Amino acid sequence: RKEVEQDPGPFNVPEGATVAFNCTYSNSASQSFFWYRQDCRKEPKLLMSVYSSGNEDGRFTAQLNRASQYISLLIRDSKLSDSATYLCVVNVYGQNFVFGPGTRLSVLP
Amino acid sequence: GAVVSQHPSRVICKSGTSVKIECRSLDFQATTMFWYRQFPKQSLMLMATSNEGSKATYEQGVEKDKFLINHASLTLSTLTVTSAHPEDSSFYICSASDRRPVQETQYFGPGTRLLVL
């Protein structure tokens, strides 16, 4: 089983749609969780950290369920500029970051 | 946010050539740097972790004699792909962290595209 798994995608959605990404991780000792976005042929950029109580940043909402070892990202009112690959990233304290395979999103006009 | 640069951004070389990639933290001291590799349509795979002044820790399956990593200062790490072959063609990305042990913050360089002919 892979350490971090994500929806295989791709997701093709119209502008304005709400889209949700799912991620599961296998290491129960994981302590930090993140969502990154990666545009084509570019480096990943941090979108948001994910906190236990859930957190929101504008149109983006992240949730963490430690018991189920599950992380989600919700994008509301999607924009064309949201088209990218979304990477779920997990870190065990003091160790390395593990990247999920990513889910590609295409927002269509 | 913090800035990490990589050089070169793109390199094309002949098989058998050695290629050096530099990763620099421009406005902070990077106690830890990571080297990743990303093949087309795949996610980032960690190759190695380097802490300033000590030997790099390589991930399983990554040949340390082929991918030489040097982290001689708090602002510079280099990855040398020795005797590169076409299968080494990939997108190499470094990231840097200013905290040890690594916690939340890592800053990515823009990546280096390597094409080995």
Side-chain angles (χ1 to χ4, degrees):
Chain A
R1 183 184 171 190
K2 292 181 181 176
E3 287 192 68
V4 179
E5 299 195 64
Q6 294 185 239
D7 293 326
F11 286 18
N12 299 312
V13 303
E15 267 187 292
T18 296
V19 59
F21 299 119
N22 301 309
C23 171
T24 57
Y25 59 95
S26 61
N27 189 337
S28 59
S30 301
Q31 296 196 335
S32 301
F33 310 91
F34 312 90
W35 284 101
Y36 278 75
R37 68 169 280 167
Q38 185 176 24
D39 293 290
C40 189
R41 304 176 74 82
K42 299 285 189 182
E43 77 276 21
K45 292 189 187 297
L46 179 65
L47 180 64
M48 59 197 303
S49 301
V50 186
Y51 302 117
S52 296
S53 55
N55 49 298
E56 187 173 307
D57 182 2
R59 298 181 293 108
F60 299 87
T61 301
Q63 297 279 352
L64 168 64
N65 184 322
R66 287 186 185 270
S68 303
Q69 295 180 199
Y70 167 83
I71 307 159
S72 66
L73 175 68
L74 186 76
I75 305 176
R76 291 182 299 278
D77 188 24
S78 52
K79 312 289 185 191
L80 295 177
S81 57
D82 294 333
S83 297
T85 296
Y86 289 82
L87 302 167
C88 175
V89 183
V90 170
N91 177 243
V92 177
Y93 182 80
Q95 298 183 30
N96 303 321
F97 294 86
V98 180
F99 283 76
T103 303
R104 189 157 60 87
L105 171 67
S106 293
V107 181
L108 308 172
Chain B
V3 179
V4 175
S5 70
Q6 267 184 255
H7 178 79
S9 59
R10 183 186 299 253
V11 59
I12 302 173
C13 67
K14 292 182 180 178
S15 187
T17 307
S18 291
V19 176
K20 180 188 277 190
I21 303 170
E22 292 186 349
C23 178
R24 292 182 185 273
S25 57
L26 298 184
D27 52 0
F28 68 102
Q29 293 186 327
T31 50
T32 305
M33 284 186 170
F34 303 92
W35 286 97
Y36 296 86
R37 181 168 53 182
Q38 186 176 32
F39 292 107
K41 299 188 187 299
Q42 296 186 26
S43 191
L44 277 72
M45 296 298 295
L46 180 66
M47 299 175 66
T49 303
S50 72
N51 292 303
E52 182 266 338
S54 59
K55 287 185 179 180
T57 302
Y58 289 82
E59 295 299 298
Q60 193 172 11
V62 178
E63 299 174 56
K64 62 180 181 180
D65 294 329
K66 179 169 180 65
F67 298 99
L68 302 178
I69 292 173
N70 183 282
H71 192 167
S73 77
L74 284 171
T75 59
L76 174 64
S77 176
T78 60
L79 167 68
T80 301
V81 184
T82 61
S83 187
H85 288 96
E87 60 266 28
D88 297 323
S89 299
S90 188
F91 189 40
Y92 292 86
I93 308 175
C94 74
S95 72
S97 173
D98 60 357
R99 297 175 186 176
R100 191 187 316 182
V102 172
Q103 289 192 56
E104 296 226 349
T105 311
Q106 62 169 336
Y107 305 98
F108 283 89
T112 297
R113 288 206 181 273
L114 171 63
L115 176 61
V116 185
L117 302 177

